[in-house]
Amino acid sequence: QVQLVESGGGLVQAGGSLRLSCAAFGGTFSKLIMGWFRQAPGKERKCVASISRSGGNTYYTDSVKGRFTISRDNAKNTVYLQMNSLKPEDTAIYYCAADLDWYRVGVTVNSGDYDSWGQGTQVSVSS
């Protein structure tokens, strides 16, 4: 089993930036597809970004394209989410997730495909 620990959330004004980090413990990080999800109050959890094992393929939901960047450092067992030009609608709890299925290629946006989840980190953007 893989344990994930997120950090980097906080309160920021609109237009500001935050960088989320997710450290993985256990398993072989380079074999994991990684994703960032978010859940706002009263809304379902949704994939924000996903990155393939090598980092060569990425996915972004439309609302964050051009503002967020997902990246990974396999030597540090860490995935990042750089968030720029933050908007109040980005306010949510952000979760890091790992897909352990060896047969899957590329990226995935389905929460059901992810096997391990972090505890979540709150991101709040004030207007």
Side-chain angles (χ1 to χ4, degrees):
Q1 189 63 289
V2 176
Q3 292 186 324
L4 303 173
V5 179
E6 301 109 332
S7 61
L11 174 63
V12 65
Q13 289 187 331
S17 298
L18 284 173
R19 187 195 196 199
L20 304 183
S21 299
C22 171
F25 301 90
T28 303
F29 185 72
S30 61
K31 294 184 179 180
L32 306 176
I33 296 172
M34 300 298 296
W36 284 99
F37 287 72
R38 68 185 180 188
Q39 186 168 22
K43 295 188 177 181
E44 65 179 18
R45 191 175 299 188
K46 183 178 179 181
C47 184
V48 175
S50 178
I51 189 166
S52 62
R53 295 179 183 88
S54 68
N57 292 329
T58 57
Y59 160 86
Y60 299 95
T61 193
D62 286 345
S63 61
V64 309
K65 285 180 181 177
R67 300 189 297 122
F68 290 11
T69 302
I70 188 171
S71 62
R72 65 189 296 161
D73 186 336
N74 286 348
K76 295 183 177 180
N77 293 351
T78 302
V79 63
Y80 306 96
L81 186 67
Q82 177 67 44
M83 304 185 295
N84 298 329
S85 302
L86 282 161
K87 304 176 180 180
E89 51 263 44
D90 294 318
T91 295
I93 299 175
Y94 284 69
Y95 298 90
C96 172
D99 176 6
L100 278 64
D101 292 324
W102 62 269
Y103 58 84
R104 204 179 329 275
V105 297
V107 300
T108 179
V109 305
N110 300 315
S111 60
D113 290 340
Y114 289 87
D115 307 286
S116 297
W117 293 83
Q119 79 285 358
T121 185
Q122 177 70 48
V123 171
S124 299
V125 184
S126 63
S127 57

